[in-house]
Amino acid sequence: MMSEPQYAPGIPARITDYADTYKKKFQDNATTTEFDTGSGSTQETAQSRSLVLPPGISNEVFHEAIEGLKSLVDGDVVLVHRQLDDGWYLDRPLTHDAFPLGAQDEFINSAICSPSNVEQVQAVVKWANRWLIPIYPISMGRNLSYGGAAARLRGSVIVDLGKRMNKVLELNEKSAFCLLEPGVTYYMLFDEIKKSGKDLWVDVPDLGGGSVMGNALDRGVGYTPYGDHFGMHCGMEIILPNGELIRTGMGAMPDVNTEHGSANTWQLFQYGFGPYPDGLFSQSNYGIVTKMGFWLMPNPKGHQTFQITFEKEDDLYEIVETIRPLRIRNIIPNVPLLRHIMQEATVYGNRKSFWDGDGPIPHDKIDEIVVPKMWMGNFRWILYICVYGPEVIRKAHIDVIREEFYKIQGAKLTFPEDTPANSYLRSRVNLYAGIPDLRELDWVMWLPNGSHTDFGPISPTTGEDAVKQYEMTKRIHQKYGFDYFPNFCVGLREMHHIVMIIYDRKDEDSKRRVTAMMKELISEGAKLGMGEYRTHIAFQDQVMKTYSFNDGALLKFLDQIKDNLDPNGILAPGRNGIWGSRWKGKGLERA
């Protein structure tokens, strides 16, 4: 368990001043006051509200069940009967969706329980089966753009694994791996490595407050050569919906000579013997992962982050065509990030600081409205890259990268030391070196009561596909009156087109439009073969049904697994469109 002083759950006190600057930004950005002024949880407020019960469970039965639940988790159970407070990223609510797309209590939980060990989690699962009460496990609940800590099924009981199960169980420098519990955040793992003196790096996503395990299980990405977080996992411990404990890979082989009781290759060889089940527990509701191993990146003994800007919107095709061979050949060794000038503008100011007119900033006015306020001069696309290793290797890579991209007229390469102190490039240096940060929160303040959800389709790394995605997504944003913020994260052979959709969660029209826009993006994207890799809980049914090959054979298969593993339907029903027989056809699906 984290013994150092904390600013918030999983967040070290050493970043207090830095974190407070962002808390104040969220407070200043809000049009209503709902923030806790102290350092504690935002969940305890003076006013009460009616408890939302799980479907089909009476008030009397629920309270009787809750008394039993308290006895299983040292009394650590909180009912959701206080006024809802959206909080902010670090002091997030565990009660509901902090970035609601509809009513604030559209996705609301009934209670939160916090087990402290595997045995208590098993007891909670058995409790849920006894009372037929749905439970929804979370690690930290900070993935706010996808629903945060809110369960897909209203009135579920949250199983907060992050509060008391937050140990770094093993940190091995020789073979470069770790074994973690769910509550270990990127900040915690980074600090633990520094404290240990081991020469290892963490691959971090844009924000460092999330759970390492939770991000990987949701198939999140980072930016070093270890950016595929689920791909870098090795071995799991899982509690099945009947309460049984299993370990995957080499962890299924007992070994009394190790501290964790499994083979000493558990975090070294992913597959073990026989079928490989790990993927079934990613983005699913088939089990609760209580331990997970990860490969860590050895210190590469040098790194160089830089940016390349491009002058024209139409350069997108050539940029992506240039990236692909460099990425596949590992001349670009990390996950490069390609951002449009509109996304870049969001980390330097809010919308009003650029444009106070109606509707989205017109693209034909970017030169007039946005460019003069950006230190880079005239550009439309900006590409962030990092190379690693000794200087001679870094220089060789940079020379090739520069030569290839300079074939695009107007391309310009810039190093961090040649940029202003507040440049976004300088914050990318941290992320590309595995140092957790919060800078990415700046763009959420683009609108008052800034909230966001993401549209994240996958495509081949080709100029044709990039342009196709860009034009379709831009057109639909203009239709619904939202600024379009495109980001392309390039893997080895595919691109994540991460579209940050920023809306005002206190404005009913803004929420209505963003919901309609997301639905159209999903359906129109599917027609072009663009499948999302994850989405907000409100759209999970729709996205799952776009994976409809052979009359929806995949979902039928997934539901069969659900019914076999979880016949009572107690574990996270509806997550990513998987309901199982108990809940299917009850009017809960949204597709």
Side-chain angles (χ1 to χ4, degrees):
M1 186 175 295
M2 188 172 184
S3 58
E4 301 295 326
Q6 295 188 65
Y7 175 86
I11 307 301
R14 66 175 175 81
I15 72 161
T16 292
D17 291 343
Y18 183 46
D20 277 345
T21 64
Y22 279 98
K23 181 174 182 177
K24 187 173 189 310
K25 287 181 180 182
F26 273 86
Q27 290 172 330
D28 293 345
N29 183 251
T31 58
T32 58
T33 303
E34 60 180 20
F35 287 89
D36 176 26
T37 55
S39 59
S41 170
T42 60
Q43 294 171 48
E44 294 297 328
T45 54
Q47 295 182 326
S48 62
R49 56 170 289 122
S50 298
L51 193 67
V52 174
L53 298 171
I57 304 296
S58 70
N59 188 63
E60 181 181 0
V61 168
F62 182 73
H63 281 86
E64 183 182 352
I66 288 295
E67 288 305 308
L69 180 61
K70 289 178 181 178
S71 70
L72 303 176
V73 294
D74 309 314
D76 205 328
V77 179
V78 178
L79 295 180
V80 181
H81 56 50
R82 304 285 185 180
Q83 179 182 336
L84 298 180
D85 180 349
D86 292 340
W88 72 288
Y89 173 67
L90 291 183
D91 204 4
R92 79 285 183 239
L94 301 184
T95 50
H96 68 292
D97 179 6
F99 287 171
L101 291 157
Q104 190 184 29
D105 64 354
E106 180 180 15
F107 294 105
I108 186 172
N109 311 316
S110 59
I112 302 128
C113 75
S114 303
S116 67
N117 55 48
V118 169
E119 292 73 23
Q120 288 190 2
V121 179
Q122 289 178 287
V124 170
V125 170
K126 292 174 182 176
W127 167 89
N129 277 289
R130 176 189 172 191
W131 294 97
L132 297 181
I133 290 177
I135 57 176
Y136 192 89
I138 63 166
S139 300
M140 293 305 298
R142 288 199 173 104
N143 203 351
L144 301 186
S145 63
Y146 299 118
R152 172 62 184 85
L153 182 62
R154 202 165 184 260
S156 296
V157 173
I158 292 299
V159 183
D160 178 12
L161 302 169
K163 182 178 179 180
R164 298 202 290 162
M165 296 177 67
N166 53 17
K167 299 183 187 72
V168 177
L169 299 168
E170 186 172 359
L171 198 55
N172 187 300
E173 183 177 25
K174 184 182 293 185
S175 297
F177 69 80
C178 62
L179 180 64
L180 308 177
E181 289 188 325
V184 177
T185 64
Y186 289 97
Y187 271 110
M188 288 174 65
L189 181 56
F190 176 84
D191 283 5
E192 188 67 23
I193 290 172
K194 292 300 179 188
K195 182 180 174 182
S196 73
K198 299 184 191 303
D199 209 12
L200 299 169
W201 280 20
V202 185
D203 185 279
V204 298
D206 290 301
L207 293 170
S211 160
V212 179
M213 181 188 297
N215 182 275
L217 289 174
D218 212 29
R219 300 203 282 272
V221 297
Y223 297 97
T224 76
Y226 282 50
D228 179 357
H229 291 166
F230 188 76
M232 290 296 160
H233 97 276
C234 190
M236 296 178 176
E237 177 184 87
I238 305 150
I239 295 171
L240 298 178
N242 65 359
E244 187 175 5
L245 186 71
I246 67 169
R247 287 180 174 177
T248 66
M250 302 305 293
M253 177 173 285
D255 187 341
V256 297
N257 299 306
T258 63
E259 192 170 338
H260 50 59
S262 284
N264 61 6
T265 48
W266 189 16
Q267 273 66 64
L268 302 180
F269 182 61
Q270 293 171 312
Y271 307 114
F273 180 78
Y276 179 62
D278 291 42
L280 289 173
F281 300 98
S282 164
Q283 289 194 2
S284 79
N285 48 13
Y286 299 150
I288 300 176
V289 182
T290 50
K291 293 182 181 68
M292 196 166 175
F294 293 93
W295 292 338
L296 299 173
M297 181 173 169
N299 186 334
K301 306 303 182 184
H303 58 96
Q304 178 64 66
T305 298
F306 55 95
Q307 68 180 38
I308 306 175
T309 52
F310 306 89
E311 293 182 349
K312 296 180 295 185
E313 199 113 338
D314 293 344
D315 287 335
L316 177 60
Y317 182 94
E318 280 190 84
I319 295 167
V320 174
E321 284 295 307
T322 304
I323 289 174
R324 185 183 61 255
L326 295 174
R327 185 73 182 97
I328 290 175
R329 289 154 54 203
N330 265 322
I331 292 172
I332 297 177
N334 78 318
V335 177
L337 175 64
L338 178 64
R339 290 158 64 109
H340 190 265
I341 187 173
M342 284 300 300
Q343 176 71 68
E344 196 72 6
T346 62
V347 296
Y348 291 101
N350 60 25
R351 185 176 179 275
K352 266 193 169 180
S353 69
F354 289 94
W355 164 256
D356 204 16
D358 295 329
I361 293 177
H363 274 228
D364 61 3
K365 290 186 178 292
I366 286 176
D367 281 336
E368 172 190 337
I369 295 169
V370 180
V371 170
K373 297 184 179 181
M374 306 291 281
W375 63 266
M376 308 82 151
N378 183 35
F379 75 101
R380 282 300 181 276
W381 298 97
I382 185 165
L383 177 63
Y384 293 101
I385 296 174
C386 188
V387 295
Y388 301 89
E391 183 177 2
V392 62
I393 294 176
R394 301 197 307 268
K395 184 178 183 305
H397 279 245
I398 291 170
D399 287 346
V400 174
I401 291 167
R402 179 191 284 113
E403 180 182 355
E404 292 302 312
F405 281 109
Y406 272 30
K407 293 175 183 177
I408 302 172
Q409 186 176 3
K412 180 183 177 183
L413 189 150
T414 306
F415 294 106
E417 57 270 24
D418 300 321
T419 69
N422 73 330
S423 77
Y424 184 67
L425 177 59
R426 291 179 182 264
S427 68
R428 298 310 293 184
V429 173
N430 284 342
L431 295 182
Y432 292 177
I435 301 171
D437 204 348
L438 299 175
R439 176 71 187 273
E440 203 71 10
L441 290 172
D442 279 334
W443 56 260
V444 184
M445 265 66 78
W446 184 251
L447 295 176
N449 308 302
S451 307
H452 78 102
T453 190
D454 296 349
F455 175 59
I458 304 297
S459 81
T461 308
T462 70
E464 180 183 356
D465 284 283
V467 171
K468 186 191 304 182
Q469 287 197 2
Y470 176 73
E471 290 179 346
M472 184 274 287
T473 311
K474 179 181 174 182
R475 171 178 55 81
I476 294 175
H477 273 68
Q478 290 173 337
K479 173 180 175 180
Y480 288 95
F482 286 98
D483 289 305
Y484 171 35
F485 306 116
N487 301 263
F488 293 94
C489 298
V490 185
L492 280 173
R493 286 171 176 79
E494 53 72 36
M495 293 191 304
H496 289 51
H497 180 199
I498 310 296
V499 182
M500 310 298 188
I501 302 172
I502 305 172
Y503 60 98
D504 180 347
R505 71 181 181 279
K506 300 297 183 182
D507 183 283
E508 294 302 319
D509 180 63
S510 182
K511 292 190 292 184
R512 178 191 60 77
R513 286 184 292 114
V514 78
T515 299
M517 184 173 76
M518 273 294 295
K519 289 180 178 179
E520 186 166 339
L521 285 168
I522 293 166
S523 62
E524 291 300 303
K527 294 174 185 176
L528 299 177
M530 294 162 43
E532 282 206 88
Y533 83 108
R534 56 178 172 171
T535 193
H536 187 280
I537 52 177
F539 308 112
Q540 288 177 348
D541 294 311
Q542 183 184 0
V543 170
M544 176 56 80
K545 288 184 178 178
T546 65
Y547 288 78
S548 58
F549 172 78
N550 192 22
D551 192 29
L554 174 62
L555 181 55
K556 292 174 185 176
F557 171 68
L558 296 174
D559 277 335
Q560 284 181 324
I561 296 173
K562 180 66 173 172
D563 286 340
N564 277 279
L565 290 177
D566 185 13
N568 289 327
I570 55 95
L571 187 56
R575 186 166 195 266
N576 286 315
I578 304 167
W579 287 95
S581 295
R582 179 185 172 189
W583 302 102
K584 209 171 186 69
K586 301 289 178 65
L588 299 168
E589 296 165 86
R590 289 176 170 240

